[in-house]
């Protein structure tokens, strides 16, 4: 069953917490991965791969650079999830 | 039909000696920062690199190879005349003809050993090792010298903040010889030419010469795409190599991945779920990324410091420009 926006944000929060050690409550739709959450470009790849597995979605390399905020990623997953 | 006598090889092959050469000049991040807008902290956090070695004009591809090989031959306890073939993996020897391997074979005092170069980027050591094993088991050489050598500082764009800090110079060599027991597992290797653009030389030599470029060619890469492939696809290849050798993670003593980036190494270790007891090579911190030389250099250092010991079971995996990869399980010399 497809995940809701709320479930995706919660899932991303867990992933970001595990990979970058950022408190889950800081992961909000308007937060930028690099500027606000200190997720660098390499950690971002790990976040993307973990999100792919969790939400059954493919996020190609060329799309990763467009995912600037948690909101961008959530919207992408909502649109593309299997 | 006339009957052709078959060649007769050894039952198995093993690495019998290892040697390394690191150029004298140690280059800290501060020197890199003279040409790019970055910081020591940024470089360390993105790559793990603190220092690297850059070769002087005298520390040529041949000179570094001869130093490393001399140590490997001494470690193996053999005479150079017993070496039947010399395989050199490099992407930074700037004269394509003849192969640099012949000069190295001659200067080491081999008895007219077969000698040739291969181009397999950062997977070059594994490719060379696989060739060596084949030659020994097939019978065309008793001992084979496999050398990984690079002067990547010559192919580094010092003004590119994404790669200026990454590369280093050096040579690593192993002597592979006959064995009564299997000591080099099946190689899991391959290529993905559809990803050829992700790591490449900025300008080909002919275009560079014809168009009069002012900037010397350098190695460039798509960092995120390479990171993803290296961590997640190469972890699968590493697992396949373990499975092919019939070695469980619990039986593994040492993990020596190509020293591309400490973040790739850490992430691979996590993805592979390697147990705590496995010693992981992180030679990149003080050596940088030396492409084909990185695995034998890291192997030599682990043995020299006592972090690994002779007889240990090690998983080695190389991966890089091509894209190409090669992984296998070996018994350390």
């Amino acid at each position: 069953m497809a995940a809701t926006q709320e479930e995706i944000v919660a899932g991303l929060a867990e992933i970001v917490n595990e990979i970058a050690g950022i408190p889950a409550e800081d992961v909000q739709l308007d937060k930028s991965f690099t500027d606000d959450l200190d997720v660098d470009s390499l950690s971002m790849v790990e976040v993307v791969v973990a999100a792919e597995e969790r939400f059954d979605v493919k996020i190609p390399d060329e799309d990763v650079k467009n995912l600037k905020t948690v909101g961008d990623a959530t919207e992408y997953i909502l649109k593309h999830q299997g | 039909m006339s009957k052709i006598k078959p060649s007769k090889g050894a039952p198995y092959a093993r690495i019998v000696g290892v040697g390394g050469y690191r150029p004298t000049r140690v280059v800290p991040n501060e020197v890199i920062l003279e040409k790019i807008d970055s910081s020591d902290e940024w470089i360390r956090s993105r790559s793990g690199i603190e220092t690297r070695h850059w070769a002087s004009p005298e520390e040529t591809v041949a000179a570094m190879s001869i130093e490393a090989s001399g140590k490997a031959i001494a470690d193996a306890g053999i005479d150079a005349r017993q070496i039947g073939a010399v395989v050199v993996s490099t992407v930074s020897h700037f004269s394509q003809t003849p192969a640099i391997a012949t000069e190295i074979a001659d200067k080491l005092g081999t008895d007219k050993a077969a000698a040739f170069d291969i181009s397999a980027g950062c997977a070059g050591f594994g490719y060379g090792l696989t060739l060596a094993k084949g030659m020994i088991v097939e019978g065309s050489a008793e001992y084979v010298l496999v050398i990984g050598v690079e002067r990547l500082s010559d192919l580094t764009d010092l003004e590119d903040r994404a790669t200026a800090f990454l590369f280093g110079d050096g040579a690593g060599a192993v002597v592979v010889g006959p064995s009564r027991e299997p000591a080099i597992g099946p190689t899991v290797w391959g290529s993905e030419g559809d990803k050829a653009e992700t790591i490449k030389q900025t300008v080909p030599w002919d275009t560079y010469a014809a168009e009069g470029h002012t900037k010397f060619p350098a190695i460039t890469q798509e960092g995120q795409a390479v990171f993803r492939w290296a961590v997640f696809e190469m972890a699968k290849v590493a697992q396949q190599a373990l499975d092919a050798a019939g070695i469980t993670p619990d039986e593994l003593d040492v993990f020596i991945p190509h020293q591309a980036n400490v973040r790739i190494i850490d992430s691979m270790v996590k993805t592979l779920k390697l147990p705590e007891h496995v010693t992981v090579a992180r030679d990149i911190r003080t050596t940088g990324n030396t492409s084909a030389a990185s695995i034998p250099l890291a192997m030599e250092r682990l043995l020299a410091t006592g972090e690994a010991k002779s007889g240990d079971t090690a998983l080695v995996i190389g991966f890089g420009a091509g894209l190409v990869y090669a992984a296998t399980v070996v018994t350390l010399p």
Side-chain angles (χ1 to χ4, degrees):
Chain A
M1 206 173 72
T4 64
Q5 176 178 315
E6 225 168 39
E7 287 165 341
I8 294 169
V9 175
L12 286 173
E14 255 179 57
I15 290 168
V16 169
N17 174 260
E18 204 206 305
I19 289 164
I22 309 297
E25 57 271 25
D26 290 359
V27 181
Q28 305 285 343
L29 284 173
D30 62 335
K31 292 283 163 67
S32 153
F33 286 107
T34 44
D35 299 339
D36 301 323
L37 301 175
D38 213 19
V39 175
D40 70 24
S41 64
L42 300 184
S43 294
M44 189 62 199
V45 175
E46 294 181 275
V47 169
V48 162
V49 172
E52 282 187 337
E53 275 176 26
R54 189 169 179 137
F55 300 112
D56 188 22
V57 56
K58 275 264 146 241
I59 311 176
D61 292 321
E62 58 268 28
D63 289 342
V64 173
K65 59 181 173 296
N66 300 325
L67 308 180
K68 303 250 184 273
T69 65
V70 176
D72 296 339
T74 305
E75 198 185 322
Y76 190 96
I77 294 164
L78 266 175
K79 212 186 282 178
H80 294 89
Q81 64 185 341
Chain B
M1 199 174 73
S2 310
K3 197 174 171 197
I4 296 172
K5 211 168 127 187
S7 55
K8 196 168 177 299
Y12 304 103
R14 70 184 305 139
I15 300 174
V16 293
V18 62
Y21 179 80
R22 292 172 167 82
T24 315
R25 184 181 173 202
V26 175
V27 178
N29 289 340
E30 288 70 40
V31 171
I32 307 292
L33 294 169
E34 290 168 9
K35 299 250 174 82
I36 55 168
D37 178 22
S38 190
S39 70
D40 179 47
E41 193 276 331
W42 192 95
I43 293 171
R44 285 179 197 232
S45 75
R46 294 323 191 272
S47 70
I49 300 169
E50 296 158 21
T51 58
R52 74 286 288 146
H53 297 257
W54 281 355
S56 68
E58 292 74 34
E59 289 167 317
T60 61
V61 165
M64 293 194 293
S65 297
I66 290 163
E67 286 291 327
S69 301
K71 291 183 198 166
I73 292 166
D75 189 39
I78 63 160
D79 187 292
R81 284 168 297 191
Q82 292 173 272
I83 293 169
V86 176
V87 183
V88 177
S89 180
T90 184
V91 297
S92 46
H93 169 56
F94 290 154
S95 182
Q96 275 176 296
T97 307
I100 193 64
T102 60
E103 182 187 330
I104 296 166
D106 177 55
K107 293 212 169 123
L108 285 170
T110 71
D111 183 15
K112 297 182 182 172
F116 58 97
D117 299 353
I118 59 170
S119 175
C122 307
F125 176 73
Y127 273 58
L129 187 64
T130 304
L131 291 175
K133 175 180 141 185
M135 286 184 242
I136 289 159
V137 172
E138 179 270 336
S140 48
E142 187 184 10
Y143 290 95
V144 180
L145 180 64
V146 178
I147 304 165
V149 55
E150 302 291 1
R151 278 180 58 116
L152 294 181
S153 61
D154 293 338
L155 284 170
T156 301
D157 179 356
L158 294 177
E159 291 168 350
D160 174 14
R161 70 187 300 275
T163 57
F165 57 87
L166 203 51
F167 302 115
D169 303 337
V174 296
V175 175
V176 186
S179 172
R180 278 193 285 270
E181 302 288 329
I184 302 174
T187 301
V188 178
W189 61 346
S191 70
E192 296 183 39
D194 59 324
K195 300 186 183 74
E197 294 292 306
T198 54
I199 310 174
K200 61 174 188 182
Q201 183 171 319
T202 46
V203 188
W205 298 114
D206 51 354
T207 314
Y208 172 69
E211 295 177 7
H213 288 265
T214 51
K215 210 161 185 176
F216 198 72
I219 298 168
T220 176
Q221 63 173 1
E222 294 168 24
Q224 281 188 318
V226 172
F227 182 81
R228 176 141 143 177
W229 177 78
V231 172
F232 298 99
E233 297 308 312
M234 291 306 100
K236 289 177 205 163
V237 170
Q239 185 60 53
Q240 286 166 15
L242 281 177
D243 295 343
I247 297 294
T248 65
D250 282 339
E251 293 170 306
L252 191 67
D253 301 307
V254 184
F255 178 44
I256 312 178
H258 163 50
Q259 304 288 298
N261 182 320
V262 93
R263 296 278 294 273
I264 291 176
I265 297 169
D266 290 346
S267 217
M268 270 181 113
V269 167
K270 208 164 76 179
T271 308
L272 278 167
K273 300 188 171 67
L274 290 183
E276 285 281 316
H277 75 265
V278 175
T279 299
V280 178
R282 289 190 179 84
D283 188 39
I284 178 132
R285 287 188 184 127
T286 53
T287 305
N289 177 342
T290 57
S291 189
S294 84
I295 293 175
L297 275 174
M299 186 183 289
E300 191 225 21
R301 182 152 278 176
L302 286 176
L303 288 164
T305 58
E307 291 167 87
K309 58 185 192 306
S310 176
D312 276 356
T313 302
L315 169 62
V316 298
I317 178 168
F319 45 86
L323 299 171
V324 289
Y325 56 87
T328 188
V329 176
V330 301
T331 305
L332 291 181

